[in-house]
C-alpha cells in the first residue's frame, strides 16, 4: 500500500546542507522529514563506514574529521530525540503538486509538504575516455566511497585521471591507505592552476596550503596538462592507460583500475521537477538553477549546498542554514539571520571561483576523441552516432536525444550530458547555452514494477 | 581472474557465504554485494549494449551500472545493498524476467 505522510518541511538529502537545514528547522520548533539515499546521514563527503570499519575517523576524513563527526552527532541526536523523521535508503523519484513520491525500503510513500528544501548535492562530472565503458573504470567519487565505507581499493594498481580538488584528494587518501597509485593525470594546465590558486589562497589560505600539501604527497606520480587519454582494455578490464604529457610526449602507464572525474556537477534533477528555471553558468560550465541569494526558488521550494552551486562541504553547511532560515521567515516564524554565516558563505563563493578557474576543462579533450568513443556508458551510444543525429536535426540536445538516445539511459544522462553538450556546441559552432539542457524526467530512479503497481492500486482517480 | 578489489585493512572479519551464478563465494561481514563479488571476480555482469563486462561505476546509487539479480528475480544495486548469508545472486535476470 502507498502510505501517505505530510510535513511542514521536507528536506531531501542528509549531507552537510541537509543536516544544517534540519537543525535550523528543529531549533525553530518544527519537525522536518529528511529523505536520504544512504543508510546513515553524512552525505558523500562525510559518508559513514560500515559498522565493521577498522580505520579511525582521522584516517577516513583527514583534516575534516572534526566536522564530519560533529555533523553525524548533530543528526543522530535529532533522530534519537524524535525531532526529525529520517527516511534512510530512500529516493525521491518524482515531485508534483506539493507532494513527493519516495521509494523507500518498504515500498512507495507519498509525502505531502508545505515547504521543500532540496540538498541533493553533486556527483562526479565525467568526460568520456576511449575504453571507459569497461569493468574496472570507475568515477573518482566511487574510488573515495569504496575507500571510506568499505576500506577497499577498486584495483591493485590504479591510475586516476581528470581534474579538480577531488583528484588530488582521492589520490592522496588512497596512497595513505596503502593502495598502489601508479599515476595521477590532471588535464588542467599548471599555469591555469597557479592563477586560480592565487584567488583561492587569498580567501582560504589554510585550505589552499592543505591542498598543496596533499599534492606534494603525490610526488612524481602527478602530471599536469595531460591530453589524449586512452584506456586499453582486454576482456577482464583495463591493462594500461595511454596519455600525452604537457610536452606532447606519448606515455603509457600499466594499471588494472582507473578512476575518472572532472570536478563535480550539481545534481539538479529534483530542482528541475520542482519548477526551477535554469541559467547556463560559464564559470561552472553547467546549467544551474536560478534562485535568490538565500536559495529561494519560490512556491515554498529552497535549494542549498552543491546541488545549487558547487561550493564544497563547508559552504553547504552555511547554505543549509541560510535556506532553512529563509524558509522559516517565509512561514512567518521569527528567526535571527546570522550575519557571520552569510559572510562565511560569501568567502566560500570567492574561493570556489578560484577553484573553477584553476580546474577548467579544455575543449581539446572532446575534439580529439575518435568517433567510435562510447559517450553514453549506459547504452553504448558513440560519438559518431551523436554527430550523425546532430547533422539530421541540428545541435539541440533534446532533439538529438530523441534521435540517438543520448541521455536516455538508466543513469538519466548524468555521465554523458556534459560531453554531449560540448560535442554539439563544437559541431554547431555555438555557445553551450544554445545547445539546450536535458530535462529531468520522472521517475528519477528506476522504480520496481511491483512498487509502482502497489501505488497504482490506491491512486486517487481525482 | 581473481578479485578486482584490494582490501586495505589487515583485519579479517567473519566470513559470509553466498552464491553467485551458482558458484559458492565468500565475503566478509560489513561488505556490500559489490565488494563481496569483486573480491572474488573481475566483474558483476555483462554489458547489454557492448561486448564488455561491468563492475559498477559511481558506487552512490546514481548510475545503475552495478545491477545483479536474486535467483528469486528481484534486482539489486550491488553498491548499496549489504551482503548477508545465504544470498543466491545472478549476473543476469532469471530466464523469462524482464531485466
Amino acid at each position: 500500500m502507498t502510505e501517505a505522510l505530510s510535513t511542514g518541511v521536507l528536506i531531501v538529502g542528509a549531507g552537510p546542507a541537509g543536516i544544517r537545514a534540519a537543525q535550523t528547522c528543529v531549533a525553530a520548533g518544527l519537525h522536518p522529514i529528511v529523505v536520504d539515499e544512504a543508510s546513515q546521514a553524512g552525505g558523500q563527503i562525510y559518508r559513514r563506514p560500515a559498522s565493521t570499519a577498522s580505520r579511525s575517523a582521522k584516517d577516513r576524513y583527514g583534516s575534516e574529521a572534526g566536522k564530519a563527526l560533529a555533523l553525524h552527532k548533530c543528526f543522530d541526536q535529532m533522530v534519537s530525540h524524535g525531532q526529525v523523521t529520517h527516511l534512510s535508503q530512500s529516493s525521491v523519484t518524482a515531485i508534483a503538486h506539493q507532494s513527493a513520491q519516495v521509494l523507500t525500503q518498504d515500498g512507495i510513500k507519498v509525502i505531502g509538504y508545505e515547504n521543500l528544501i532540496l540538498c541533493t548535492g553533486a556527483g562526479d562530472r565525467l568526460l568520456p575516455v576511449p575504453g571507459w565503458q569497461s569493468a574496472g573504470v570507475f568515477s573518482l567519487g566511487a574510488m573515495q566511497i569504496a575507500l571510506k565505507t568499505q576500506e577497499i581499493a577498486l584495483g591493485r594498481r590504479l591510475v586516476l585521471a581528470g581534474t579538480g580538488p577531488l583528484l588530488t584528494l582521492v589520490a592522496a587518501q588512497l596512497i595513505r591507505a596503502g593502495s598502489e597509485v601508479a599515476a595521477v593525470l590532471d588535464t588542467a594546465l599548471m599555469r591555469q592552476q597557479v592563477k586560480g590558486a592565487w584567488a583561492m589562497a587569498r580567501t582560504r589560505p589554510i585550505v589552499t596550503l592543505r591542498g598543496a600539501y596533499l599534492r606534494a604527497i603525490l610526488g612524481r606520480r602527478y602530471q599536469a596538462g595531460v591530453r589524449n587519454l586512452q584506456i586499453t582494455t582486454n576482456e577482464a578490464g583495463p591493462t594500461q592507460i595511454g596519455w600525452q604529457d604537457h610536452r606532447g610526449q606519448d606515455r603509457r602507464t600499466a594499471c588494472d583500475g582507473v578512476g575518472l572525474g572532472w570536478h563535480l556537477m550539481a545534481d539538479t534533477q529534483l530542482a528541475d521537477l520542482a519548477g526551477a528555471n535554469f541559467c547556463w553558468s560559464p564559470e561552472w560550465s553547467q546549467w544551474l538553477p536560478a534562485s535568490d541569494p538565500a536559495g529561494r526558488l519560490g512556491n515554498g521550494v529552497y535549494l542549498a549546498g552543491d546541488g545549487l552551486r558547487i561550493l564544497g562541504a563547508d559552504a553547504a553547511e552555511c547554505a543549509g542554514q541560510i535556506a532553512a532560515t529563509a524558509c522559516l521567515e517565509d512561514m512567518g516564524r521569527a528567526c535571527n539571520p546570522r550575519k557571520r554565516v552569510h559572510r562565511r558563505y560569501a568567502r566560500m563563493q570567492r574561493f570556489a571561483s578560484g577553484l573553477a578557474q584553476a580546474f577548467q576543462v579544455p575543449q581539446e579533450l572532446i575534439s580529439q576523441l575518435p568517433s567510435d568513443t562510447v559517450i553514453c556508458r549506459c547504452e553504448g551510444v558513440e560519438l559518431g552516432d551523436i554527430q550523425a543525429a546532430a547533422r539530421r536535426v541540428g545541435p539541440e540536445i533534446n532533439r538529438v536525444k530523441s534521435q540517438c538516445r543520448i541521455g536516455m539511459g538508466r543513469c538519466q544522462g548524468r555521465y554523458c550530458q556534459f560531453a554531449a553538450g560540448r560535442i554539439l556546441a563544437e559541431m554547431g559552432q555555438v555557445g553551450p547555452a544554445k545547445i539546450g539542457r536535458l530535462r529531468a524526467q520522472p521517475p528519477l530512479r528506476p522504480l520496481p514494477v511491483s512498487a509502482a503497481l502497489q501505488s497504482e492500486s490506491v491512486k486517487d482517480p481525482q | 581472474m581473481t578479485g578486482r578489489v584490494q582490501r586495505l585493512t589487515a583485519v579479517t572479519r567473519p566470513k559470509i557465504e553466498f552464491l553467485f551464478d551458482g558458484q559458492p563465494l565468500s565475503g566478509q561481514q560489513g561488505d556490500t554485494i559489490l565488494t563481496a563479488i569483486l573480491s572474488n571476480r573481475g566483474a558483476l555482469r555483462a554489458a547489454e549494449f557492448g561486448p564488455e563486462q561491468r563492475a559498477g561505476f559511481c558506487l552512490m546509487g546514481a548510475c545503475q551500472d552495478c545491477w545483479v539479480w536474486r535467483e528469486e528475480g528481484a534486482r539489486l544495486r550491488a553498491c548499496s545493498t549489504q551482503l548477508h548469508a545465504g544470498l543466491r545472486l545472478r549476473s543476469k535476470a532469471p530466464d523469462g524476467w524482464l531485466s
Side-chain angles (χ1 to χ4, degrees), chain A residues 93-116:
Chain A
T93 49
I95 296 179
H97 312 301
Q98 302 257 310
S99 59
Q101 182 191 49
V102 186
L103 180 61
T104 71
Q105 292 289 296
D106 324 308
I108 291 176
K109 293 186 200 298
V110 174
I111 304 180
Y113 59 81
E114 287 161 36
N115 297 280
L116 176 66

Side-chain angles (χ1 to χ4, degrees), chain B residues 67-80:
Chain B
W67 288 357
V68 293
W69 287 262
R70 297 182 70 149
E71 285 184 0
E72 300 87 331
R75 189 184 67 214
L76 302 172
R77 280 195 306 235
C79 77
S80 44

Side-chain angles (χ1 to χ4, degrees), chain A residues 63 168 172 176 205-219:
Chain A
S63 59
T168 295
R176 277 182 177 157
I206 295 169
V207 176
T208 311
L209 273 178
R210 210 178 273 145
Y213 169 69
L214 290 174
R215 183 66 67 75
I217 292 175
L218 311 186

Side-chain angles (χ1 to χ4, degrees), chain A residues 129-131 227-232 240-244 368-370:
Chain A
V129 171
R227 293 287 178 275
N228 228 350
L229 293 160
Q230 295 180 41
I231 302 165
T232 308
Q240 67 172 23
I241 184 162
W243 50 285
Q244 201 174 58
Q368 63 194 189
L369 291 174

Side-chain angles (χ1 to χ4, degrees), chain A residues 311-348:
Chain A
L311 304 176
D314 294 347
E317 287 194 47
C318 300
Q321 289 177 59
I322 292 169
T325 303
C327 173
L328 292 167
E329 278 168 10
D330 296 348
M331 292 169 87
R333 291 182 177 250
C335 44
N336 303 319
R338 291 162 62 190
K339 278 202 178 121
R340 202 165 51 86
V341 176
H342 284 273
R343 272 204 303 275
R344 189 169 154 78
Y345 190 51
R347 192 155 60 89
M348 303 290 172

Side-chain angles (χ1 to χ4, degrees), chain A residues 44 50 52 54 133 135-139 142 147 150-153 155-156 236 256 377-379 410 415 445-446, chain B residues 3-6 8-9 13 30-32 35 45 48-49 52-58 61 63-65 67 75:
Chain A
Q44 297 304 339
T52 47
S54 59
Q133 67 273 25
V137 182
F138 295 90
S139 73
L147 175 60
Q150 294 281 294
E151 305 184 337
I152 57 172
R156 287 160 206 285
D256 66 357
R377 278 184 92 258
C378 298
E379 300 198 0
R410 55 171 73 138
Y415 300 119
R445 294 283 188 271
Chain B
R4 170 168 301 288
V5 305
Q6 182 192 3
L8 294 170
T9 50
R13 303 185 301 256
D31 281 359
T32 61
T35 301
R45 64 183 182 93
E48 300 97 323
F49 295 88
E52 73 278 359
Q53 303 278 304
R54 293 300 174 97
F57 186 69
C58 78
C63 73
Q64 319 299 330
D65 194 68
W67 288 357
R75 189 184 67 214

Side-chain angles (χ1 to χ4, degrees), chain B residues 2-31:
Chain B
T2 54
R4 170 168 301 288
V5 305
Q6 182 192 3
R7 294 189 190 268
L8 294 170
T9 50
V11 183
T12 45
R13 303 185 301 256
K15 269 191 179 180
I16 294 185
E17 313 284 337
F18 65 105
L19 282 184
F20 184 52
D21 286 340
Q23 300 284 312
L25 300 179
S26 72
Q28 294 182 10
Q29 201 181 342
D31 281 359

Side-chain angles (χ1 to χ4, degrees), chain A residues 370-395:
Chain A
S371 72
D372 63 352
T373 306
V374 167
I375 307 294
C376 158
R377 278 184 92 258
C378 298
E379 300 198 0
V381 181
E382 297 180 357
L383 174 58
D385 302 330
I386 297 173
Q387 289 168 331
R391 278 193 289 273
R392 286 196 297 274
V393 297

